[in-house]
Amino acid sequence: MIINFIQWSKKSLFSNWWNSLITLFCIYLLFLIIPPFINWAILDATFSGKLKTDCTAGGACWVFIRVWFEKLMYGFYPVENIWRINLSFIIFIGTIGLSFFVREKYKLYILFFLIFIFPFIAFILIRGGFGLTIVETREWGGLALTFILAIFGIILSFPLGVLLAMGRRSEMPIIKYFCICFIETWRGIPLITVLFAAAVMFPLLLPSGTLVDKLLRVAIGIAIFESAYVAEVVRGGLQSLPRGQYDAAKSIGMGYWQMNFFIVLPQAIKTVIPGITNTFIALLKDTPLIYLIGMAEILGIVNMAKANPYWLGMAVEGYVFAAIIFGVVSFILSSYSQKLEKKFSTENK
Amino acid sequence: MFRIDEIKNSLKKNLQLGNLVPQFLLLFVLFFIVYYFTSNAQTNMAARNISSGFGFLQTNSGFDVQFSLIDYDGSYSFGRAYLVGLLNTLLVSSFGIVFATILGFLVGVARLSNNFLLSKLSQLYVEILRNLPLILQIFFWYFVVLRNLPSTENSFIFLDFLIVNVQGAYFPKFIFTNFNAIFYGLVCALLTIFFAQYYSKKLIYERGKSLPIFKISILCLILFTTIFSLIGNTDLQLQQAELIQNFGIFNYVGGVKLVPEFLALLFALSLYTSTFIAENVRAGILSVGKGQKEASKSLGFNNSQSLKLIIIPQALRVIIPPTTNQYLNLLKNSSLAAGIGYPDLASVFAGTALSQTGKAIEIIFIVMLTYLSISLIISAFLNWYNHKIAFIEK
């Protein structure tokens, strides 16, 4: 065992003087970073208490996360109604989990449910109505708001993205060039300008007196922005489909829409799932930008807490907390999409 | 004959009723949407007493920005403020692109290293930094790292050259007298290098000999600039920032000051983008088959020749297209400057100027158009370059 280790380290760590130097440098780097971080985050940290003054050990003050946990997660959403947000997320994750266990045939129904039915259920659950007390959207916030916007954004952008991808491959020139311009324009501008436009410019374009909720405007903006990216991913899927599939569909007398709905899209959508997952990860990392147009998203709550006289300067703990959550979620999603990509690439060979 | 038939067929196809109806429907819907929005905008602007049009670009802005490459204060126009923002965006993006590329190449190569520890560490670097939201990283650099730098009195001073404190980083200002001479020297050197390259290409094709062109270029640059600066009597002075105490408050004056907002944005952008470039570089190098390296060895190329002539040109073909996208992403991501108040295009123009004038439509339009055109220009240039180095398949 030990001999094995020595042999291995000779081969992969100390094979020549240059490699040994690099190894020593790496060890030094790790030594510089890891012990202080562990000291700060665990050994010197304070975990119990109720106030900032309880944190006297000099390390991280996790008390802050404990006290502010509900705010960081749900913003100013009424505490007694938090179960409604949780229920929507459970439905979402449960439906996706279910899709791993059902037969191929039913997966399309699940996709249909997620795109066309789930948004309404979740919206009614979270916002209220139909007997549930109404929670105004300005009370939504925290990490939940980020996830709500990202999930709604990707779901709403999906149908539009598919249509745009089909339009870009269309033989009708006006439709084709419109789709190209639309996609390239949205891909060429930063999300933040879209958010500014949704927050400030869009109300000017509607008849005076019409009030569209700010969150809704932002969600629409994000969905349109994202649809351009989804369209490019779907186009890749459409292009990867062998020509024979199109020819076969046409030769049994199918029209354009029949061919696309029954033959092309079901196969294409399957191959673009990894790409869509990557788009979703990118969107999830971009959504915290809504903080810049004044929404109480998790970074907004941290920055607010930092200015609170009782919790002055609690930025690091808040950022580390947010970083861990974002890191874990996008790491899980990206390893899933990589696994899927590998599976598809071997399936097709 | 065949060609005309083809065109006729395609025309016939396009003129079919089934094809015309949806296209005109789309045009009609588009026209209606544009008409609906503009008419609403006109009534709304009239109701709020906001005049439309771009005339405001000439009026005084009345706000100040804290970091600008050109002369600017409140007495300059909004047009000038736009220029300040645009230059700041370009500044941080171009530096970011350079640093991200260097770092990305290093990390990408390190991930393929034989050294277990080095490759795992680089993997960790990539996995951590690319999975965290960029805005979080910017906040981390700005609020956590740069805010905890020493105060002005206790600044870090490196070799009397770089001064770092909580207010930013100070470099000495280079003050040249008779700079023209160096400039002419540079021009001469570049011309010589150009001809040397031309000659060496010719030499390779005609006699199969190669010149050490890189060494010649370096030599030319050094030689010509030194000779010209000696003849032209050029003098270089470093104007260091100086510590001045004013009413008990210490401050550095002079030199070139980089504000912490710029530094935080630059660090975050370059580190974040470098992870994506590292992945591209790794994929590019892996895509070059082992056989290529072995073949170049068996042809008698040495290590650096095989890298330069065989491996890198083939790897670049795979690396460049996705890396282009990353450059564009970096440019677009630089708009996150609004989060920490670095006066870039989005925060100066779509933020401050918009709230001053209330001309939301015009300003958002200008900002979007600017980002779009910079993106299109960069991607057109890089497409051209990519086309140039692309493998010509028959």
Side-chain angles (χ1 to χ4, degrees), chain B residues 16-17 67-68 86 101 104 106 108 133-134 144 168 171 183 190 203 211 223 226 263 280 360:
Chain B
Q16 274 169 7
L17 198 67
F67 182 75
S68 162
L86 180 62
T101 309
L106 290 179
L134 180 58
V144 179
F171 288 96
F183 179 73
L190 288 179
L203 215 61
L211 289 174
L223 214 65
T226 343
L263 294 174
N280 297 342

PDB file of all heavy atoms in Angstrom, chain B residues 16-17 67-68 86 101 104 106 108 133-134 144 168 171 183 190 203 211 223 226 263 280 360:
ATOM      1  N   GLN B  16     -45.887  30.473 -53.873  1.00  0.00           N
ATOM      2  CA  GLN B  16     -47.104  29.723 -53.561  1.00  0.00           C
ATOM      3  C   GLN B  16     -47.872  30.414 -52.448  1.00  0.00           C
ATOM      4  O   GLN B  16     -47.287  31.001 -51.549  1.00  0.00           O
ATOM      5  CB  GLN B  16     -46.748  28.309 -53.103  1.00  0.00           C
ATOM      6  CG  GLN B  16     -46.580  27.348 -54.254  1.00  0.00           C
ATOM      7  CD  GLN B  16     -45.972  26.048 -53.779  1.00  0.00           C
ATOM      8  OE1 GLN B  16     -45.819  25.848 -52.578  1.00  0.00           O
ATOM      9  NE2 GLN B  16     -45.628  25.203 -54.728  1.00  0.00           N
ATOM     10  N   LEU B  17     -49.203  30.279 -52.505  1.00  0.00           N
ATOM     11  CA  LEU B  17     -50.056  30.958 -51.538  1.00  0.00           C
ATOM     12  C   LEU B  17     -49.732  30.495 -50.119  1.00  0.00           C
ATOM     13  O   LEU B  17     -49.626  31.289 -49.192  1.00  0.00           O
ATOM     14  CB  LEU B  17     -51.521  30.676 -51.885  1.00  0.00           C
ATOM     15  CG  LEU B  17     -52.499  31.647 -51.254  1.00  0.00           C
ATOM     16  CD1 LEU B  17     -52.294  33.022 -51.844  1.00  0.00           C
ATOM     17  CD2 LEU B  17     -53.918  31.173 -51.473  1.00  0.00           C
ATOM     18  N   PHE B  67     -14.337  57.977 -12.576  1.00  0.00           N
ATOM     19  CA  PHE B  67     -13.208  57.383 -13.286  1.00  0.00           C
ATOM     20  C   PHE B  67     -13.431  57.586 -14.769  1.00  0.00           C
ATOM     21  O   PHE B  67     -14.418  57.124 -15.321  1.00  0.00           O
ATOM     22  CB  PHE B  67     -13.108  55.895 -12.963  1.00  0.00           C
ATOM     23  CG  PHE B  67     -11.938  55.216 -13.617  1.00  0.00           C
ATOM     24  CD1 PHE B  67     -10.657  55.399 -13.137  1.00  0.00           C
ATOM     25  CD2 PHE B  67     -12.124  54.405 -14.720  1.00  0.00           C
ATOM     26  CE1 PHE B  67      -9.579  54.777 -13.744  1.00  0.00           C
ATOM     27  CE2 PHE B  67     -11.053  53.773 -15.324  1.00  0.00           C
ATOM     28  CZ  PHE B  67      -9.784  53.966 -14.829  1.00  0.00           C
ATOM     29  N   SER B  68     -12.529  58.321 -15.401  1.00  0.00           N
ATOM     30  CA  SER B  68     -12.746  58.604 -16.811  1.00  0.00           C
ATOM     31  C   SER B  68     -11.416  58.692 -17.521  1.00  0.00           C
ATOM     32  O   SER B  68     -10.424  59.148 -16.960  1.00  0.00           O
ATOM     33  CB  SER B  68     -13.508  59.918 -16.942  1.00  0.00           C
ATOM     34  OG  SER B  68     -13.363  60.406 -18.248  1.00  0.00           O
ATOM     35  N   LEU B  86     -18.487  54.406 -22.718  1.00  0.00           N
ATOM     36  CA  LEU B  86     -18.049  53.475 -23.763  1.00  0.00           C
ATOM     37  C   LEU B  86     -16.565  53.165 -23.611  1.00  0.00           C
ATOM     38  O   LEU B  86     -16.147  52.003 -23.660  1.00  0.00           O
ATOM     39  CB  LEU B  86     -18.334  54.089 -25.138  1.00  0.00           C
ATOM     40  CG  LEU B  86     -17.930  53.253 -26.333  1.00  0.00           C
ATOM     41  CD1 LEU B  86     -18.688  51.950 -26.335  1.00  0.00           C
ATOM     42  CD2 LEU B  86     -18.187  54.000 -27.624  1.00  0.00           C
ATOM     43  N   THR B 101      -7.266  35.465 -21.427  1.00  0.00           N
ATOM     44  CA  THR B 101      -6.648  34.571 -22.401  1.00  0.00           C
ATOM     45  C   THR B 101      -5.374  33.956 -21.835  1.00  0.00           C
ATOM     46  O   THR B 101      -5.184  32.740 -21.896  1.00  0.00           O
ATOM     47  CB  THR B 101      -6.305  35.347 -23.684  1.00  0.00           C
ATOM     48  OG1 THR B 101      -7.468  36.050 -24.093  1.00  0.00           O
ATOM     49  CG2 THR B 101      -5.862  34.427 -24.766  1.00  0.00           C
ATOM     50  N   GLY B 104      -6.315  31.645 -18.980  1.00  0.00           N
ATOM     51  CA  GLY B 104      -7.034  30.490 -19.506  1.00  0.00           C
ATOM     52  C   GLY B 104      -6.089  29.499 -20.168  1.00  0.00           C
ATOM     53  O   GLY B 104      -6.202  28.296 -19.964  1.00  0.00           O
ATOM     54  N   LEU B 106      -2.865  29.146 -19.520  1.00  0.00           N
ATOM     55  CA  LEU B 106      -2.048  28.511 -18.490  1.00  0.00           C
ATOM     56  C   LEU B 106      -2.827  27.410 -17.781  1.00  0.00           C
ATOM     57  O   LEU B 106      -2.343  26.285 -17.620  1.00  0.00           O
ATOM     58  CB  LEU B 106      -1.571  29.560 -17.476  1.00  0.00           C
ATOM     59  CG  LEU B 106      -0.530  30.545 -17.992  1.00  0.00           C
ATOM     60  CD1 LEU B 106      -0.158  31.534 -16.919  1.00  0.00           C
ATOM     61  CD2 LEU B 106       0.701  29.785 -18.446  1.00  0.00           C
ATOM     62  N   GLY B 108      -5.562  25.861 -18.762  1.00  0.00           N
ATOM     63  CA  GLY B 108      -5.928  24.788 -19.685  1.00  0.00           C
ATOM     64  C   GLY B 108      -4.785  23.820 -19.901  1.00  0.00           C
ATOM     65  O   GLY B 108      -4.973  22.603 -19.911  1.00  0.00           O
ATOM     66  N   PRO B 133     -22.057  32.594  -9.645  1.00  0.00           N
ATOM     67  CA  PRO B 133     -22.516  33.748 -10.418  1.00  0.00           C
ATOM     68  C   PRO B 133     -21.444  34.834 -10.458  1.00  0.00           C
ATOM     69  O   PRO B 133     -20.779  35.091  -9.456  1.00  0.00           O
ATOM     70  CB  PRO B 133     -23.736  34.229  -9.642  1.00  0.00           C
ATOM     71  CG  PRO B 133     -24.170  33.085  -8.840  1.00  0.00           C
ATOM     72  CD  PRO B 133     -22.968  32.264  -8.547  1.00  0.00           C
ATOM     73  N   LEU B 134     -21.290  35.455 -11.624  1.00  0.00           N
ATOM     74  CA  LEU B 134     -20.253  36.470 -11.783  1.00  0.00           C
ATOM     75  C   LEU B 134     -20.479  37.651 -10.846  1.00  0.00           C
ATOM     76  O   LEU B 134     -19.532  38.183 -10.270  1.00  0.00           O
ATOM     77  CB  LEU B 134     -20.224  36.935 -13.232  1.00  0.00           C
ATOM     78  CG  LEU B 134     -19.190  37.987 -13.561  1.00  0.00           C
ATOM     79  CD1 LEU B 134     -17.807  37.498 -13.234  1.00  0.00           C
ATOM     80  CD2 LEU B 134     -19.265  38.348 -15.025  1.00  0.00           C
ATOM     81  N   VAL B 144     -15.171  42.395  -0.194  1.00  0.00           N
ATOM     82  CA  VAL B 144     -14.421  41.601   0.781  1.00  0.00           C
ATOM     83  C   VAL B 144     -12.914  41.789   0.614  1.00  0.00           C
ATOM     84  O   VAL B 144     -12.226  42.132   1.567  1.00  0.00           O
ATOM     85  CB  VAL B 144     -14.797  40.105   0.670  1.00  0.00           C
ATOM     86  CG1 VAL B 144     -13.987  39.301   1.666  1.00  0.00           C
ATOM     87  CG2 VAL B 144     -16.276  39.930   0.923  1.00  0.00           C
ATOM     88  N   GLY B 168      -7.255  52.187  -3.973  1.00  0.00           N
ATOM     89  CA  GLY B 168      -6.963  51.719  -5.320  1.00  0.00           C
ATOM     90  C   GLY B 168      -5.504  51.396  -5.491  1.00  0.00           C
ATOM     91  O   GLY B 168      -4.769  51.250  -4.512  1.00  0.00           O
ATOM     92  N   PHE B 171       0.094  53.497 -10.167  1.00  0.00           N
ATOM     93  CA  PHE B 171       1.311  53.264 -10.938  1.00  0.00           C
ATOM     94  C   PHE B 171       1.947  54.619 -11.197  1.00  0.00           C
ATOM     95  O   PHE B 171       1.239  55.626 -11.257  1.00  0.00           O
ATOM     96  CB  PHE B 171       0.989  52.625 -12.287  1.00  0.00           C
ATOM     97  CG  PHE B 171       0.554  51.203 -12.186  1.00  0.00           C
ATOM     98  CD1 PHE B 171      -0.784  50.882 -12.166  1.00  0.00           C
ATOM     99  CD2 PHE B 171       1.492  50.194 -12.113  1.00  0.00           C
ATOM    100  CE1 PHE B 171      -1.188  49.565 -12.072  1.00  0.00           C
ATOM    101  CE2 PHE B 171       1.089  48.884 -12.027  1.00  0.00           C
ATOM    102  CZ  PHE B 171      -0.249  48.571 -12.003  1.00  0.00           C
ATOM    103  N   PHE B 183       8.581  56.681 -31.482  1.00  0.00           N
ATOM    104  CA  PHE B 183       7.504  56.294 -32.385  1.00  0.00           C
ATOM    105  C   PHE B 183       8.050  55.973 -33.772  1.00  0.00           C
ATOM    106  O   PHE B 183       7.738  54.925 -34.340  1.00  0.00           O
ATOM    107  CB  PHE B 183       6.471  57.420 -32.454  1.00  0.00           C
ATOM    108  CG  PHE B 183       5.332  57.114 -33.372  1.00  0.00           C
ATOM    109  CD1 PHE B 183       4.352  56.195 -33.020  1.00  0.00           C
ATOM    110  CD2 PHE B 183       5.236  57.744 -34.595  1.00  0.00           C
ATOM    111  CE1 PHE B 183       3.317  55.905 -33.866  1.00  0.00           C
ATOM    112  CE2 PHE B 183       4.197  57.456 -35.456  1.00  0.00           C
ATOM    113  CZ  PHE B 183       3.231  56.539 -35.088  1.00  0.00           C
ATOM    114  N   LEU B 190       8.995  47.915 -37.228  1.00  0.00           N
ATOM    115  CA  LEU B 190       7.892  47.107 -37.754  1.00  0.00           C
ATOM    116  C   LEU B 190       8.063  46.866 -39.246  1.00  0.00           C
ATOM    117  O   LEU B 190       7.830  45.757 -39.734  1.00  0.00           O
ATOM    118  CB  LEU B 190       6.553  47.783 -37.463  1.00  0.00           C
ATOM    119  CG  LEU B 190       6.122  47.734 -35.995  1.00  0.00           C
ATOM    120  CD1 LEU B 190       4.800  48.446 -35.791  1.00  0.00           C
ATOM    121  CD2 LEU B 190       6.018  46.293 -35.522  1.00  0.00           C
ATOM    122  N   LEU B 203      12.480  32.443 -48.532  1.00  0.00           N
ATOM    123  CA  LEU B 203      13.626  31.575 -48.336  1.00  0.00           C
ATOM    124  C   LEU B 203      13.175  30.137 -48.096  1.00  0.00           C
ATOM    125  O   LEU B 203      13.767  29.195 -48.633  1.00  0.00           O
ATOM    126  CB  LEU B 203      14.418  32.084 -47.124  1.00  0.00           C
ATOM    127  CG  LEU B 203      15.930  31.930 -47.207  1.00  0.00           C
ATOM    128  CD1 LEU B 203      16.455  32.721 -48.385  1.00  0.00           C
ATOM    129  CD2 LEU B 203      16.567  32.400 -45.915  1.00  0.00           C
ATOM    130  N   LEU B 211      14.647  31.351 -41.163  1.00  0.00           N
ATOM    131  CA  LEU B 211      15.363  32.338 -40.358  1.00  0.00           C
ATOM    132  C   LEU B 211      14.798  32.317 -38.945  1.00  0.00           C
ATOM    133  O   LEU B 211      13.614  32.032 -38.753  1.00  0.00           O
ATOM    134  CB  LEU B 211      15.142  33.737 -40.947  1.00  0.00           C
ATOM    135  CG  LEU B 211      15.821  34.067 -42.260  1.00  0.00           C
ATOM    136  CD1 LEU B 211      15.370  35.429 -42.741  1.00  0.00           C
ATOM    137  CD2 LEU B 211      17.329  34.058 -42.081  1.00  0.00           C
ATOM    138  N   LEU B 223      16.797  47.337 -30.946  1.00  0.00           N
ATOM    139  CA  LEU B 223      17.843  48.111 -31.601  1.00  0.00           C
ATOM    140  C   LEU B 223      17.310  49.444 -32.110  1.00  0.00           C
ATOM    141  O   LEU B 223      17.842  50.513 -31.795  1.00  0.00           O
ATOM    142  CB  LEU B 223      18.403  47.289 -32.772  1.00  0.00           C
ATOM    143  CG  LEU B 223      19.886  47.473 -33.040  1.00  0.00           C
ATOM    144  CD1 LEU B 223      20.692  46.960 -31.877  1.00  0.00           C
ATOM    145  CD2 LEU B 223      20.263  46.746 -34.327  1.00  0.00           C
ATOM    146  N   THR B 226      16.143  51.930 -29.355  1.00  0.00           N
ATOM    147  CA  THR B 226      17.263  52.513 -28.604  1.00  0.00           C
ATOM    148  C   THR B 226      17.997  53.557 -29.455  1.00  0.00           C
ATOM    149  O   THR B 226      18.255  54.667 -28.983  1.00  0.00           O
ATOM    150  CB  THR B 226      18.284  51.429 -28.177  1.00  0.00           C
ATOM    151  OG1 THR B 226      17.675  50.166 -28.282  1.00  0.00           O
ATOM    152  CG2 THR B 226      18.785  51.662 -26.799  1.00  0.00           C
ATOM    153  N   LEU B 263     -10.529  47.528 -10.578  1.00  0.00           N
ATOM    154  CA  LEU B 263      -9.746  46.337 -10.255  1.00  0.00           C
ATOM    155  C   LEU B 263     -10.650  45.155  -9.949  1.00  0.00           C
ATOM    156  O   LEU B 263     -10.421  44.040 -10.433  1.00  0.00           O
ATOM    157  CB  LEU B 263      -8.832  46.629  -9.063  1.00  0.00           C
ATOM    158  CG  LEU B 263      -7.744  47.663  -9.337  1.00  0.00           C
ATOM    159  CD1 LEU B 263      -6.998  47.994  -8.064  1.00  0.00           C
ATOM    160  CD2 LEU B 263      -6.779  47.134 -10.378  1.00  0.00           C
ATOM    161  N   ASN B 280     -11.832  25.383 -23.162  1.00  0.00           N
ATOM    162  CA  ASN B 280     -11.680  25.356 -24.618  1.00  0.00           C
ATOM    163  C   ASN B 280     -10.279  24.908 -25.009  1.00  0.00           C
ATOM    164  O   ASN B 280     -10.113  24.129 -25.943  1.00  0.00           O
ATOM    165  CB  ASN B 280     -11.934  26.742 -25.214  1.00  0.00           C
ATOM    166  CG  ASN B 280     -13.342  27.207 -24.973  1.00  0.00           C
ATOM    167  OD1 ASN B 280     -14.204  26.396 -24.677  1.00  0.00           O
ATOM    168  ND2 ASN B 280     -13.576  28.497 -25.088  1.00  0.00           N
ATOM    169  N   ALA B 360     -36.046  57.077 -21.285  1.00  0.00           N
ATOM    170  CA  ALA B 360     -35.735  55.652 -21.214  1.00  0.00           C
ATOM    171  C   ALA B 360     -35.566  55.032 -22.592  1.00  0.00           C
ATOM    172  O   ALA B 360     -34.623  54.283 -22.835  1.00  0.00           O
ATOM    173  CB  ALA B 360     -36.824  54.923 -20.437  1.00  0.00           C
TER     174      ALA B 360
END
